[in-house]
């Protein structure tokens, strides 16, 4: 099992090494620590959690052009490592259903999926979440704040959500402030609440400084 983990780590590191959108290897490392922490408390299968974390961004359509092909490659990697088929199916199920744009309606079927999704969402919150949001928005050329542009409300199609007009500050209202109520596990929810409040304070301060009130 040590070997599987090491081999997959090498592949993931190679694929994500040029990412500057906030989905780099350090994101994977933080999500791994969070998933192991939450998974231990919740009694999940930690190897499944860990492998799903390592692989989860390799098929994200934010990062790859051909999702289907990327998924085939990921499955092949796990097959080559000799992982049992039901574990492979489980990991594939987790990484294909967990993203915000796809996963909000369906929900995660297994405890391991819930743990990994919570861990990934936590990395979008708090101080790290703020930093990643600005980094991602910057990489897409988005404006920091457009006071005349109100945050968009649901329902939005996936393309509207991703390509429509928005600002980095609006992203907090359109996605990040919603995540606290979407957490699956108690341990995840507790951490999310703390990080949520930190972001609320940040936005309040940001808007006050923007208007010259502070
Ligand atoms: Ni991620």
């Amino acid at each position: 099992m040590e070997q599987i983990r090491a081999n997959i780590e090498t592949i993931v590191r190679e694929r994500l090494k040029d990412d500057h959108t906030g989905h780099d290897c350090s994101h994977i490392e933080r999500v791994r620590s969070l998933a192991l922490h939450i998974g231990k408390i919740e009694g999940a299968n930690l190897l499944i959690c860990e492998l799903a974390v390592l692989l989860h961004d390799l098929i994200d359509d934010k990062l790859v052009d051909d999702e289907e092909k990327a998924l085939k490659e990921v499955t092949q990697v796990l097959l080559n490592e000799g992982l049992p088929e039901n574990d492979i199916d489980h990991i594939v199920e987790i990484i294909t259903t967990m993203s915000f744009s796809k996963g909000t309606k369906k929900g995660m079927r297994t405890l391991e999926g819930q743990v990994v999704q919570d861990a990934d969402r936590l990395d979008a919150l708090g101080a790290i979440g703020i930093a990643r949001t600005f980094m991602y928005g910057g990489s897409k050329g988005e404006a920091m704040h457009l006071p005349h542009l109100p945050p968009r409300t649901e329902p939005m199609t996936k393309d509207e959500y991703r390509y429509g007009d928005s600002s980095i500050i609006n992203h907090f209202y359109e996605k990040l402030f919603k995540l606290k109520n979407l957490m699956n596990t108690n341990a995840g929810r507790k951490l999310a609440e703390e990080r949520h409040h930190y972001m609320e304070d940040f936005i309040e301060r940001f808007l006050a400084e923007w208007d010259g009130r502070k």
Side-chain angles (χ1 to χ4, degrees), residues 70-192:
L71 187 59
K72 267 198 196 119
E73 281 169 13
V74 165
T75 309
Q76 195 55 49
V77 167
L78 292 169
L79 278 170
N80 292 348
E81 295 299 332
L83 206 69
E85 218 162 296
N86 54 333
D87 285 348
I88 297 179
D89 291 345
H90 190 181
I91 291 166
V92 166
E93 179 189 327
I94 293 173
I95 64 179
T96 50
T97 50
M98 66 183 272
S99 90
F100 180 75
S101 51
K102 279 170 263 169
T104 41
K105 307 282 177 306
K106 270 189 241 164
M108 303 304 286
R109 189 179 63 82
T110 65
L111 175 62
E112 287 72 22
Q114 295 177 354
V115 166
V116 174
Q117 188 179 51
D118 277 4
D120 193 41
R121 286 178 167 167
L122 279 166
D123 203 49
L125 301 178
I128 295 276
I130 294 169
R132 288 181 70 216
T133 302
F134 281 89
M135 201 171 172
Y136 183 74
S139 81
K140 298 285 164 204
E142 267 182 27
M144 193 156 74
H145 181 37
L146 299 169
H148 59 275
L149 190 72
R152 299 165 301 172
T153 47
E154 285 171 294
M156 264 184 280
T157 67
K158 198 172 144 196
D159 277 356
E160 279 167 352
Y161 171 69
R162 187 149 304 156
Y163 302 112
D165 252 356
S166 192
S167 68
I168 295 176
I169 291 299
N170 279 355
H171 190 63
F172 285 83
Y173 298 96
E174 291 169 2
K175 174 180 171 184
L176 304 181
F177 285 147
K178 292 177 185 168
L179 293 181
K180 167 173 78 79
N181 294 332
L182 297 173
M183 300 302 283
N184 303 298
T185 65
N186 283 334
R189 200 165 7 256
K190 245 173 96 180
L191 292 169

Side-chain angles (χ1 to χ4, degrees), residues 200-211:
E200 275 183 336
D201 290 347
F202 168 80
I203 290 291
E204 206 185 295
R205 173 92 204 183
F206 180 99
L207 295 175
E209 289 185 16
W210 186 276
D211 295 337

Side-chain angles (χ1 to χ4, degrees), residues 22-23 27-28 31 53 56-57 60 98 120-121 123 132:
H23 295 88
H27 163 64
I28 303 291
V31 176
V53 166
H56 83 275
D57 273 336
D60 196 311
M98 66 183 272
D120 193 41
R121 286 178 167 167
D123 203 49
R132 288 181 70 216

